[in-house]
Amino acid sequence: MKTSNGRAPLTGLRVVELAGLAPSPFAGLLLADYGATVLRVDRSVSHDTPSPDLLVRHKKSICLDLKDPQGLLVLRALLEHVDVFVDPYRPGVLESLGLDPVGLIAQNERLIVARLTGFRRDGKYASMAGHDINYLAVSGVLNQLGRKGAPPHPPGNILADFAGGGLSCAFGIMMALYARERNGKGQIVDCNMVDGSAYLATFPRLATKTPLWNRQRGENLLDGGCPFYDVYECKDGGYIAVGALEPQFYKELLNGLNLRDFILLQHDLAAWPAMRDAFGKKFLQKTRQEWEHVFDGKDACCTPLLSYAELEDAGYEQRHAVTLTGTPGLKLDHDMTWEGVGMKPGIGGEELLQDWLGWKKGRQYDIKSGVVVQIDIAKL
């Protein structure tokens, strides 16, 4: 891995990512956006049909049949020349292919093998299928989410798949890279979405032992139970998000709503139902835009709830999660951040065989039935 001042920070980092669902491609996306060369290993499918995975920007692809020994040889050769290998499979799948991580690191002592699973690799769920909602459910996090008197409500697949899974995996890879700078050794990075989600929820979990979050779901300060930390509908069907927790912000909110009678009742739980009712009726008296004009420039913690369609129509610029002033990430074009376009399998993969291994088609490898296979030199 090599870097130079002014270039993306992960320039020179070589990553092989086995094609998977949302979490592992997101980990690869984070690395690719900051300059890593990420080679996605796709299965043998039509090269004219884009992958359904939308998290492919700045990546390249190679098609391999890992059940074919000749395809497996190509992957093994690649792994001897890369920095990171991302495994999205359930426990035991990689080993069943003859790709035991310990053995891979023995062949390339600087290799970092990142294994991302849904459930923990031990325990009753280890071999079971699951999705974001299941990982949140057994982590305890899902039980905290939802309205009073209603079942727990999952927030899409954002928490477990992307935050607890992909983001945590990328963080683990970066820690392993940092450790490798000191000791020169690669290692196995084990991540799972149950522990990742639970770690994200450290604060609310600890807060359940305090007055901040010790009531039932939907009755607490930050989970929809509080009238000055919630979402309200406006006259035109739009919504305003209110987060006036601190006294000075709460006062500014009441001034904007012209509901000053509640000034001394902010933390009087008995007053919250009447306060919520008054807030709801007041917000219905104006459109969202009118309320924006009321609160623009004011420290009332009141903002419009914007849709993706509104943001895109307004030309909103999606940016990197983190901006590095000396070594910024790669450019994010409008189409990359707003248009869901898959990548055709095999794009760029042969070029990397040349760059990384010095391989040439017809000598070390060939294409058969749409996949790359290593040529048996002894039969030439």
Side-chain angles (χ1 to χ4, degrees):
M1 182 178 115
K2 300 178 181 179
T3 61
S4 61
N5 190 35
R7 301 174 69 187
L10 299 183
T11 297
L13 185 73
R14 298 176 176 182
V15 180
V16 169
E17 169 198 311
L18 295 182
L21 298 175
S24 56
F26 185 64
L29 180 75
L30 285 165
L31 302 176
D33 276 350
Y34 286 92
T37 301
V38 178
L39 178 61
R40 173 189 169 98
V41 177
D42 284 301
R43 299 175 178 86
S44 53
V45 296
S46 171
H47 285 227
D48 295 325
T49 304
S51 163
D53 178 16
L54 302 179
L55 304 177
V56 294
R57 64 178 180 239
H58 298 135
K59 296 182 183 179
K60 300 181 186 300
S61 168
I62 188 171
C63 290
L64 298 176
D65 181 358
L66 299 185
K67 295 181 180 179
D68 180 347
Q70 298 305 110
L72 202 57
L73 285 173
V74 177
L75 179 58
R76 282 185 167 278
L78 284 166
L79 295 180
E80 292 184 11
H81 295 83
V82 303
D83 300 286
V84 179
F85 180 38
V86 180
D87 164 27
Y89 299 140
R90 278 188 257 177
V93 173
L94 208 61
E95 288 81 357
S96 71
L97 294 170
L99 298 170
D100 177 65
V102 174
L104 295 177
I105 295 174
Q107 294 296 314
N108 175 5
E109 66 175 10
R110 292 177 60 80
L111 180 65
I112 292 162
V113 180
R115 306 190 295 189
L116 177 55
T117 59
F119 297 113
R120 290 177 170 179
R121 301 184 74 85
D122 57 352
K124 62 182 289 186
Y125 305 110
S127 63
M128 291 172 56
H131 283 293
D132 189 289
I133 190 172
N134 306 113
Y135 313 138
L136 289 182
V138 302
S139 73
V141 176
L142 183 55
N143 187 62
Q144 300 296 106
L145 307 176
R147 291 290 185 179
K148 176 182 177 181
H153 189 76
N157 67 330
I158 299 170
L159 276 182
D161 278 359
F162 295 112
L167 182 61
S168 294
C169 182
F171 177 60
I173 290 169
M174 297 310 298
M175 287 193 292
L177 287 169
Y178 186 72
R180 195 181 71 175
E181 289 296 307
R182 298 195 306 273
N183 60 28
K185 303 291 186 181
Q187 60 182 296
I188 298 171
V189 175
D190 276 335
C191 309
N192 70 80
M193 290 166 241
V194 172
D195 289 334
S197 302
Y199 198 90
L200 287 170
T202 296
F203 172 75
R205 182 176 66 254
L206 297 178
T208 60
K209 303 296 179 64
T210 75
L212 182 63
W213 216 310
N214 64 356
R215 294 181 289 279
Q216 295 297 309
R217 178 176 58 253
E219 297 181 6
N220 300 282
L221 187 68
L222 301 175
D223 66 355
C226 169
F228 47 88
Y229 196 89
D230 210 339
V231 174
Y232 290 92
E233 186 176 1
C234 303
K235 184 179 180 179
D236 59 346
Y239 293 91
I240 289 286
V242 176
L245 294 174
E246 291 79 5
Q248 67 273 26
F249 304 151
Y250 176 73
K251 180 180 178 181
E252 197 70 58
L253 168 67
L254 296 184
N255 286 338
L257 293 175
N258 195 22
L259 290 173
R260 298 177 185 84
D261 289 347
F262 290 101
I263 192 65
L264 299 179
L265 301 175
Q266 182 177 13
H267 295 293
D268 183 348
L269 301 189
W272 279 11
M275 186 187 301
R276 181 183 298 280
D277 183 64
F279 285 6
K281 290 178 179 178
K282 182 65 72 169
F283 276 111
L284 283 172
Q285 294 176 8
K286 298 179 186 292
T287 66
R288 192 191 72 182
Q289 187 176 48
E290 289 172 333
W291 284 118
E292 285 186 69
H293 292 326
V294 170
F295 290 111
D296 274 353
K298 305 288 178 55
D299 283 342
C301 299
C302 284
T303 55
L305 192 155
L306 302 176
S307 69
Y308 284 141
E310 287 179 280
L311 290 169
E312 184 176 8
D313 289 344
Y316 185 81
E317 178 188 11
Q318 296 287 353
R319 299 175 179 174
H320 288 288
V322 177
T323 298
L324 301 179
T325 58
T327 54
L330 300 181
K331 182 180 180 181
L332 299 181
D333 294 327
H334 180 274
D335 289 348
M336 290 181 173
T337 59
W338 285 111
E339 301 294 332
V341 179
M343 176 173 58
K344 291 184 178 180
I347 296 296
E350 291 188 63
E351 288 84 348
L352 291 186
L353 287 177
Q354 168 70 41
D355 293 345
W356 290 357
L357 307 182
W359 282 16
K360 293 184 179 181
K361 187 176 180 180
R363 292 187 180 180
Q364 290 83 14
Y365 76 93
D366 210 337
I367 307 293
K368 292 184 178 180
S369 301
V371 298
V372 176
V373 295
Q374 184 170 341
I375 292 175
D376 188 345
I377 305 297
K379 293 182 179 180
L380 291 181

